[in-house]
Amino acid sequence: MVRLRQQLPTLELLSARNPHAVVDFLQSEGFDLNDGIVLIENGHIYFGDQAMYRIATLTRGEGLFSNMNQWLFSSERRSRVLYPLLKAGRRWVLKVMRRRPIEHRG
């Protein structure tokens, strides 16, 4: 996350688990924040695999993990194929950690 913030200094990272006007807006627009990552860039909303693809194209990798992550998601096709696996991994980790889904506050 530190490198992401360094490469994109205007990026604002939010946790959908905390109250925020942007989270409320996204939920009111029908986005299920349990179902994907969101990137808002210049008023355009990217969701799920599209958000991962866009982040990968905006950043450059430094280090093995970053380079691998960038390569994996810098292709729209790879992002579309791999994102569901990433999402399933997130759900599994949250279940193991006994974290509840993000509540809809709309």
Side-chain angles (χ1 to χ4, degrees), residues 4 11 42 66 75 87:
L4 187 61
L11 181 71
N42 299 325
S66 294
S75 156
K87 192 168 64 170

Side-chain angles (χ1 to χ4, degrees), residues 37-78:
I37 185 174
V38 178
L39 172 69
I40 303 173
E41 180 188 28
N42 299 325
H44 190 281
I45 300 172
Y46 299 91
F47 185 72
D49 62 284
Q50 294 176 342
M52 289 299 293
Y53 166 74
R54 188 68 188 131
I55 290 169
T57 61
L58 290 171
T59 59
R60 60 180 176 16
E62 294 178 13
L64 179 63
F65 179 77
S66 294
N67 284 327
M68 184 179 72
N69 193 47
Q70 183 182 20
W71 182 81
L72 287 172
F73 292 102
S74 63
S75 156
E76 286 185 82
R77 183 176 181 183
R78 283 191 303 263

Side-chain angles (χ1 to χ4, degrees), residues 6 13 24 32 39 57 82 99 102:
Q6 289 172 343
L13 298 173
D24 295 341
D32 182 352
L39 172 69
T57 61
L82 295 172
R99 298 287 301 265
I102 298 166

Side-chain angles (χ1 to χ4, degrees), residues 73 79-92:
F73 292 102
S79 293
R80 197 172 35 256
V81 170
L82 295 172
Y83 189 76
L85 298 173
L86 186 71
K87 192 168 64 170
R90 176 186 178 270
R91 285 193 174 145
W92 179 80

